[in-house]
């Protein structure tokens, strides 16, 4: 029988590109203070569409972090992911230098749609000017796997690479995929998701979602768990994490920001929100079981918070079903109401916020939400001080995926 010590998957680096902050510290400051940056969409070519409000990433210059030769090959969603990767590597103390063993570092991202802006631009050239005006990178820049490919090429990472396509919940599934890679022997994984859904073509596609909010008032467009819930608003951006073997990280003197403890996923069907109650509860129980975590050990829940009455009710009931009596007492929060849902990037931003909340001992509030109509201890208005050791992050996709992730405090991060 093998006596080899199990490999724990540790989060050692976080990189964030979000509507409320272009770096992790700026993102956390905004989230902690409950600031909202939802506003009217200003992207060119979108003014005539009924979708009026979103979370835009403003003042972002990808050239500050990424070389021009990579920028011309890629869409805005990959720019976000590559920039967040640079920040995550720096945060983990790994920097931009090539790894000692390129086969010991892998990359996995999740994506909801890929490079819509790049694809639209090139297709307009095709039909407006002719095929010789279409650039050679059209064949790859729109592809949902482009971020994984470009991050691995740019960094020289030759370990296990992949892309998760499992709806918005794929953001959490990607973290689990990376953690499994580390447990199976890969030294480190770069994992995350970033989206750029605010190009005209992408927005027209989203208008087919009945859950999308078309309310024009930014303060009322996205208010989950309230009587005024009217759907969600989209957002750009996302986050990348460095996940590595805990022993390796400690040996090189890295800070262990958090441990990826447990994950589970289910599927209940597109827009079947009543059924998502059972599926999400099952995912929560599975994540707790993998983490060997009792329900009462969960100190905070980062909710999916879709903003659709049936979906909100199903989520509140799923939390109660899975956590029992603790489900109505545990603090719940949804910082995304201040920035919008960045599809696959949304649960990555929530995971980053969960790690930061545990580090700082503060549960961030849920912006724009006050009149809660479900049996939840939803944190609103101001951040709530708390001793946080274990967090539960939830995510559901519009096509029916459900996922739950348990992360634990790293134990040695200065607070």
């Amino acid at each position: 029988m093998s006596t080899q010590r199990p490999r724990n998957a540790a989060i050692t680096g976080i990189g964030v590109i979000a509507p409320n902050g272009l770096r992790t510290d700026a993102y956390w400051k905004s989230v902690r203070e409950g600031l909202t940056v939802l506003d009217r969409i200003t992207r060119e070519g979108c003014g005539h569409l009924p979708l009026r409000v979103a979370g835009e990433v403003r003042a972002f210059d990808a050239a500050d972090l990424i070389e021009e030769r990579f920028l011309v090959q890629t869409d805005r969603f990959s720019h976000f992911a590559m920039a967040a990767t640079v920040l995550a590597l720096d945060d983990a103390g790994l920097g931009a230098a090539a790894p000692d063993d390129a086969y010991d570092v892998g990359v996995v991202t999740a994506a909801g749609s890929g490079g819509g802006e790049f694809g639209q631009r090139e297709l307009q050239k095709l039909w407006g000017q002719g095929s010789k005006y279409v650039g050679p990178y059209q064949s790859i820049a729109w592809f949902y796997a482009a971020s994984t490919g470009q991050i691995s090429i740019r960094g020289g990472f030759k370990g296990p690479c992949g892309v998760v396509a499992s709806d918005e919940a794929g953001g959490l599934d990607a973290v689990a995929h990376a953690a499994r890679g580390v447990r199976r022997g890969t030294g480190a994984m770069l994992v995350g998701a970033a989206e750029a859904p605010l190009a005209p073509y992408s927005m027209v596609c989203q208008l087919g979602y009945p859950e999308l909010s078309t309310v024009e008032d930014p303060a009322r467009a996205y208010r989950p768990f309230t009587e005024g819930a009217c759907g969600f608003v989209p957002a750009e951006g996302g986050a990348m994490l460095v996940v590595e073997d805990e022993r390796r990280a400690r040996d090189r003197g890295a800070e262990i920001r958090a441990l990826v403890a447990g994950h589970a996923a289910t599927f209940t069907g597109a827009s079947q929100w009543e059924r998502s109650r059972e599926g999400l509860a099952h995912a929560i129980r599975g994540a707790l079981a993998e983490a060997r975590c009792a329900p009462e050990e969960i100190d905070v829940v980062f909710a999916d918070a879709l903003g659709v009455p049936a979906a909100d009710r199903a989520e509140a009931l799923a939390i109660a079903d899975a956590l029992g009596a603790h489900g109505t007492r545990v603090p719940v929060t949804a910082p995304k109401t201040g920035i919008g849902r960045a599809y696959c990037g949304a649960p990555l931003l929530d995971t980053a916020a969960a790690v930061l909340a545990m580090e700082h001992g503060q549960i961030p509030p849920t912006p724009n939400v006050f009149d809660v109509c479900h049996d939840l201890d939803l944190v609103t208005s101001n951040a709530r001080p708390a001793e946080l050791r274990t967090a539960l992050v939830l995510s559901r996709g519009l096509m029916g995926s459900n996922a739950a992730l348990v992360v634990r405090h790293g134990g040695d991060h200065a607070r």
Side-chain angles (χ1 to χ4, degrees), residues 132-158:
K132 66 180 180 179
Y133 291 91
V134 178
Y137 301 116
Q138 162 67 355
S139 60
I140 58 173
W142 68 269
F143 193 39
Y144 62 89
S147 295
T148 289
Q150 295 290 2
I151 290 168
S152 62
I153 292 169
R154 182 176 182 272
F157 307 128
K158 300 181 180 181

Side-chain angles (χ1 to χ4, degrees), residues 305-317:
L306 187 63
V308 173
D312 293 345
R313 181 176 184 273
E315 182 171 21
L317 292 172

